[in-house]
Amino acid sequence: MRRVHANGRLPMIVRTPLVELSTLEAVAYRQKLRGGQAGVVILRHDSPQPGLALVNHRTGEPDLSANVPRDRFPREAFLEALELTSGLPYSRRRPVRSLGSTPQASASAEATDDSDQLGSSSPEAVATVASADYAAIVKAYTNRKGELSYELLNKSLIQAAHSNPFVATMISQVTTQDEIRDHVVKANFEAVSGNRHLSTAEVSSIVALLDEVSPRSVLRELNDEIRRMLGQAVG
């Protein structure tokens, strides 16, 4: 894979590593954009202009930006980029550009509507990704391929739900599924990170970032198990 490097702008949130495409002479990565949206960015080796597509939350398909030239950034390339970056966790990184790009060309690219979206992420998301708590949780549930393992995460959470005495009490009192899930996730994240003082907002931010990486709801198996446990208690 050809090297890419950072320029001098502020950090952003991307998924790592950068992936090399077979459909184009290019590298690609996913990035969390302003307003909470997720996008996939393609950097051609022969051009300073990046191509951007937003990830459609409903279909999971790429919605190409209106300014992207289809002849240079075909939809097939974005589909490949989405597939190759599936499951990779978010990380903090300075904006990247191809080694062949000149400072003047990069400045021109950054002036476009698309590149303006690429330049930053929300302060809250940056703070979450930069935190030691997020790093510890990602490390605990990342497999050897560098992908987040939702099987490992949900297995751990389900085991905690069955072994936690307070959860048993919540089940017997027919507490809501959301309350039980939130308690299990918070207790697990505190144990994994070693931070016993994680706030509800911090836990929610971490879950939101993990959920954006997942092709489905990141806590789906846990929710299904809690629903089953509640059903047994009522029955």
Side-chain angles (χ1 to χ4, degrees):
M1 177 174 172
R2 302 186 186 184
R3 292 192 306 120
V4 292
H5 66 87
N7 63 24
R9 297 173 64 195
L10 294 176
M12 61 184 184
I13 295 176
V14 304
R15 295 196 189 168
T16 185
L18 304 180
V19 297
E20 188 162 10
L21 304 181
S22 62
T23 49
L24 289 177
E25 285 290 321
V27 294
Y29 58 90
R30 292 200 202 188
Q31 181 179 337
K32 188 169 178 62
L33 305 172
R34 296 172 185 172
Q37 291 182 294
V40 59
V41 183
I42 294 179
L43 297 171
R44 292 181 61 114
H45 298 312
D46 60 355
S47 171
Q49 176 64 50
L52 169 67
L54 298 180
V55 180
N56 188 303
H57 290 297
R58 183 177 59 84
T59 65
E61 298 283 314
D63 292 335
L64 277 65
S65 171
N67 294 330
V68 171
R70 270 49 172 187
D71 58 332
R72 296 187 59 75
F73 296 97
R75 178 178 174 80
E76 290 74 16
F78 286 102
L79 289 170
E80 181 187 12
L82 284 175
E83 180 181 358
L84 293 176
T85 56
S86 176
L88 299 179
Y90 280 112
S91 68
R92 194 178 183 188
R93 185 189 300 248
R94 292 186 178 274
V96 295
R97 61 183 176 87
S98 299
L99 279 177
S101 301
T102 65
Q104 292 82 3
S106 294
S108 174
E110 288 163 8
T112 68
D113 291 340
D114 289 348
S115 295
D116 182 61
Q117 292 189 74
L118 305 181
S120 65
S121 303
S122 70
E124 295 81 6
V126 171
T128 299
V129 170
S131 72
D133 303 318
Y134 174 82
I137 292 163
V138 167
K139 181 179 179 181
Y141 300 116
T142 296
N143 62 25
R144 294 180 180 180
K145 296 180 180 179
E147 300 169 340
L148 285 170
S149 172
Y150 299 98
E151 180 180 359
L152 287 176
L153 174 60
N154 280 274
K155 181 179 180 180
S156 176
L157 292 171
I158 290 171
Q159 288 176 342
H162 282 283
S163 62
N164 189 314
F166 186 65
V167 171
T169 300
M170 297 176 80
I171 293 289
S172 67
Q173 295 174 348
V174 196
T175 310
T176 68
Q177 176 183 322
D178 289 350
E179 289 177 300
I180 297 171
R181 181 198 61 231
D182 291 347
H183 173 77
V184 171
V185 173
K186 187 173 187 294
N188 175 271
F189 283 6
E190 287 179 340
V192 170
S193 67
N195 180 3
R196 299 293 179 177
H197 304 288
L198 278 175
S199 69
T200 300
E202 289 170 328
V203 173
S204 297
S205 294
I206 292 171
V207 170
L209 283 173
L210 297 180
D211 198 43
E212 287 191 19
V213 183
S214 175
R216 60 187 188 280
S217 173
V218 65
L219 301 178
R220 186 177 69 178
E221 285 82 2
L222 174 63
N223 283 324
D224 290 345
E225 182 62 17
I226 293 174
R227 192 179 302 113
R228 187 189 69 81
M229 294 167 71
L230 284 170
Q232 289 181 337
V234 173

